Amino acid sequence: MRLKPGALLRFYSLCGILVQVAATKSKGRGSQGQFPLTQNVTVVEGGTANLTCRVDQNDNTSLQWSNPAQQTLYFDDKKALRDNRIELVRASWHELSISVSDVSLSDEGQYTCSLFTMPVKTSKAFLTVLGVPEKPQITGFTSPVMEGERMQLTCKTSGSKPAADIRWFKNDKEVKDVKYLKEEDANRKTFTVSSTLDFLADRNDDGAVVSCRVDHESLNSTPQIAMQVLEIHYTPLVKIISSNSWPEEGQSIILTCESKGKPVPEPVLWTKDGGELPDPERMVVNGRVLSISFLNKTDNGTYRCEAKNPIGRNSTEYVLIVHDPNALAGQTGPDHALIGGIVAVVVFVTLCSIILLGRYLARHKGTYLTNEAKGAEDAPDADTAIINAEGSQVNAEEKKEYFI
């Protein structure tokens, strides 16, 4: 005769009661110190959960596991519920361990281990099932994007429990200023989360890798990542590089026009002073390079390089000044300013010397005889000599001369 599942469950329950009564009669108060021990379990959806119930001091009293719906799963080593995912791991008087494979979200809940003493003692173990987030996807990108346009990239993932976390990175550098949205799924157990990255397209972002990373405890520290390579179109950026920083007459010079843009700029256009190059024989254009040979003063002027692509055009200028090598050599001779300074010092010193000498002679004033004064050799002084010469002192003062 084959029993129905409900009848089988009642049968096992009755057996448990009978065993419990027998154990009570045989052991008496010794069974009152027994108590089952369990632990909460967390498992990822699709994984395997192991539920273990232990009794340190068991007097051969039966153990039973039941699910959140209070259906008996195992009574000692007897399987009570027909579910191929549930298997016995170990059954003894001290332990009853079972496993539940291919766990689903519906398996989550409180499981009960019962020890059939009098009264029956129980211990609860809560089974938590983690919902694994789906691989994220980035939407909102259209290629290419023009420089200056606003970009809104959205990263979304569903099925996470609890809600997953989303983080944005640009070339491995995290972007913080983002929007985050969490919504409950139709099953009312899992969540769909999304995040939006909003920014203006810039030429520096061309070729940048934008990644959306989903972190969740069910992923075992291995996040799920979605990536998008940015393609930004922008007008050319132009600059001129000269091969000679001090060009002289008779030499040559090479001007290279470097242009960077996306799409790649067309061949550049060279002009001089707003017009065509005046001497095609000496001024040769090869791609982006302008070569000028046998430089002379007529080559002086402003050279313009212009580049364009479908997005726009841009240009830059280079002012060429051809130097006279002879003038340059003269500049390397004696320093005329230094010489002029030395001459000024010499003149100043000479003038100071003359002034000092004059002041010295003024302090030592004297007299001397003129040509009319005679007998100066015998006179003690000039006045006496004059008097002796004329025989009197008349007009003596007129014959005196002084020197300073």
Side-chain angles (χ1 to χ4, degrees), residues 140-146 151 206 228-233 262:
F141 179 74
T142 56
S143 181
V145 177
M146 303 302 153
M151 298 183 63
D206 182 53
Q228 177 66 61
V229 179
L230 302 182
E231 183 181 1
I232 312 297
H233 283 192
K262 196 164 187 179

Side-chain angles (χ1 to χ4, degrees), residues 53 55 61-64 74-76 92-93 95-96 114-115:
C53 179
V55 180
T61 302
S62 296
L63 292 170
Q64 172 187 288
Y74 264 90
F75 184 85
D76 287 336
S92 69
W93 294 116
E95 178 182 336
L96 179 60
S114 301
L115 177 64

Side-chain angles (χ1 to χ4, degrees), residues 132-137 155-160 164-166 181 183 185 191-195 212 214 224:
V132 182
E134 297 177 358
K135 184 176 178 60
Q137 292 184 340
C155 178
K156 179 181 290 187
T157 179
S158 302
S160 59
D165 183 37
I166 295 180
L181 179 63
E183 297 176 327
D185 294 334
F191 294 89
T192 294
V193 293
S194 61
S195 179
C212 158
V214 176
Q224 294 181 338

Side-chain angles (χ1 to χ4, degrees), residues 129-360:
V129 180
L130 301 178
V132 182
E134 297 177 358
K135 184 176 178 60
Q137 292 184 340
I138 297 177
T139 59
F141 179 74
T142 56
S143 181
V145 177
M146 303 302 153
E147 183 178 28
E149 289 185 1
R150 180 169 295 279
M151 298 183 63
Q152 288 186 331
L153 303 181
T154 300
C155 178
K156 179 181 290 187
T157 179
S158 302
S160 59
K161 177 181 172 296
D165 183 37
I166 295 180
R167 300 165 67 188
W168 285 96
F169 294 84
K170 184 187 291 185
N171 287 340
D172 298 327
K173 183 178 181 181
E174 185 171 3
V175 181
K176 295 289 189 179
D177 189 15
V178 296
K179 298 178 181 178
Y180 181 82
L181 179 63
K182 177 179 69 174
E183 297 176 327
E184 192 175 59
D185 294 334
N187 59 17
R188 305 185 67 83
K189 292 179 179 295
T190 60
F191 294 89
T192 294
V193 293
S194 61
S195 179
T196 301
L197 177 64
D198 190 337
F199 63 99
L200 293 178
D202 184 84
R203 65 181 58 201
N204 295 325
D205 293 330
D206 182 53
V209 178
V210 174
S211 58
C212 158
R213 193 173 89 178
V214 176
D215 294 305
H216 194 262
E217 53 187 301
S218 67
L219 300 176
N220 296 324
S221 301
T222 305
Q224 294 181 338
I225 299 176
M227 294 186 297
Q228 177 66 61
V229 179
L230 302 182
E231 183 181 1
I232 312 297
H233 283 192
Y234 54 93
T235 57
L237 180 66
V238 186
K239 68 177 180 178
I240 296 176
I241 299 176
S242 172
S243 64
N244 193 339
S245 59
W246 189 270
E248 300 178 6
E249 289 184 291
Q251 294 182 347
S252 61
I253 189 172
I254 297 176
L255 302 180
T256 303
C257 179
E258 289 189 352
S259 59
K260 181 181 179 182
K262 196 164 187 179
V264 177
E266 300 174 2
V268 299
L269 174 64
W270 283 99
T271 59
K272 178 180 184 292
D273 297 329
E276 297 182 355
L277 299 177
D279 191 346
E281 293 184 359
R282 292 188 304 109
M283 301 178 177
V284 179
V285 176
N286 184 11
R288 303 179 185 277
V289 176
L290 169 61
S291 302
I292 307 176
S293 58
F294 303 106
L295 291 170
N296 57 64
K297 293 292 185 178
T298 62
D299 296 327
N300 289 344
T302 301
Y303 292 79
R304 177 189 293 269
C305 167
E306 181 180 282
K308 65 178 181 178
N309 64 7
I311 310 303
R313 63 179 63 200
N314 203 349
S315 63
T316 188
E317 295 179 345
Y318 176 84
V319 178
L320 175 61
I321 299 176
V322 179
H323 300 274
D324 185 350
N326 297 325
L328 182 62
Q331 292 179 2
T332 61
D335 192 334
H336 296 287
L338 179 61
I339 295 175
I342 294 174
V343 172
V345 171
V346 171
V347 172
F348 177 76
V349 171
T350 302
L351 291 175
C352 290
S353 300
I354 293 173
I355 294 172
L356 292 175
L357 179 61
R359 294 185 62 184
Y360 174 80

Side-chain angles (χ1 to χ4, degrees), residues 2-18:
R2 187 174 182 179
L3 296 177
K4 296 182 179 180
L8 184 62
L9 178 60
R10 288 192 294 273
F11 172 76
Y12 280 131
S13 299
L14 179 61
C15 290
I17 293 173
L18 294 176

Side-chain angles (χ1 to χ4, degrees), residues 13-35:
S13 299
L14 179 61
C15 290
I17 293 173
L18 294 176
V19 172
Q20 175 259 325
V21 171
T24 301
K25 291 181 179 180
S26 63
K27 297 295 180 179
R29 287 181 295 178
S31 62
Q32 298 302 315
Q34 303 172 93
F35 205 90

